[in-house]
Amino acid sequence: VQLVESGGGLVQPGGSLRLSCAASGFTFSRYIMSWYRQAPGKERELVAAITSAGGITNYAGSLKGRFTMSRDSAKNTVYLQMDSLKPEDTAVYYCAARRAPYSPRSLEYDYWGQGTQVTVST
């Protein structure tokens, strides 16, 4: 099983980044996929989640309207489009997978990627 994130980097405030997470080794279509992030000295927090059918996404309240999660079942990949980035969005971003039902608890996820660093700074 592998979840491989990519697309992180350094961006100025107000800029955009698109993260990708390529999945392999499990039946992607049966899994709920989520993005989490962890800033230095802080707990890991849920950013967004999408069901196996791709029909429902959940976003942390403060991120709604700036971040958009999507999934491409043909490519076994999920994406996180991040716009209007702020310095407080700086963190390592992880994707994670679990079978239904949905849970926001990170401990209840089966698979994790290695993370990709996002730094928002001038």
Side-chain angles (χ1 to χ4, degrees):
V1 172
Q2 274 195 313
L3 294 174
V4 180
E5 301 98 335
S6 61
L10 173 64
V11 63
Q12 292 188 344
S16 298
L17 282 175
R18 188 193 194 206
L19 306 183
S20 301
C21 173
S24 61
F26 62 99
T27 306
F28 180 76
S29 61
R30 296 180 182 175
Y31 279 71
I32 293 167
M33 300 296 296
S34 295
W35 284 98
Y36 283 80
R37 69 183 183 183
Q38 188 165 20
K42 295 188 177 181
E43 294 188 355
R44 191 169 295 188
E45 65 171 345
L46 178 68
V47 172
I50 190 166
T51 66
S52 54
I56 299 173
T57 54
N58 295 323
Y59 298 97
S62 63
L63 303 178
K64 207 172 289 187
R66 297 194 298 122
F67 288 17
T68 304
M69 185 175 183
S70 60
R71 71 189 290 159
D72 184 338
S73 294
K75 296 182 179 180
N76 284 7
T77 299
V78 293
Y79 304 95
L80 184 68
Q81 177 67 41
M82 306 186 294
D83 299 317
S84 303
L85 283 162
K86 304 176 181 180
E88 52 263 43
D89 295 318
T90 295
V92 178
Y93 285 71
Y94 301 89
C95 70
R98 62 163 279 140
R99 295 289 298 269
Y102 167 72
S103 171
R105 300 182 180 89
S106 60
L107 290 177
E108 296 182 6
Y109 277 76
D110 300 314
Y111 308 127
W112 288 86
Q114 82 289 349
T116 185
Q117 176 71 47
V118 171
T119 302
V120 185
S121 175
T122 55

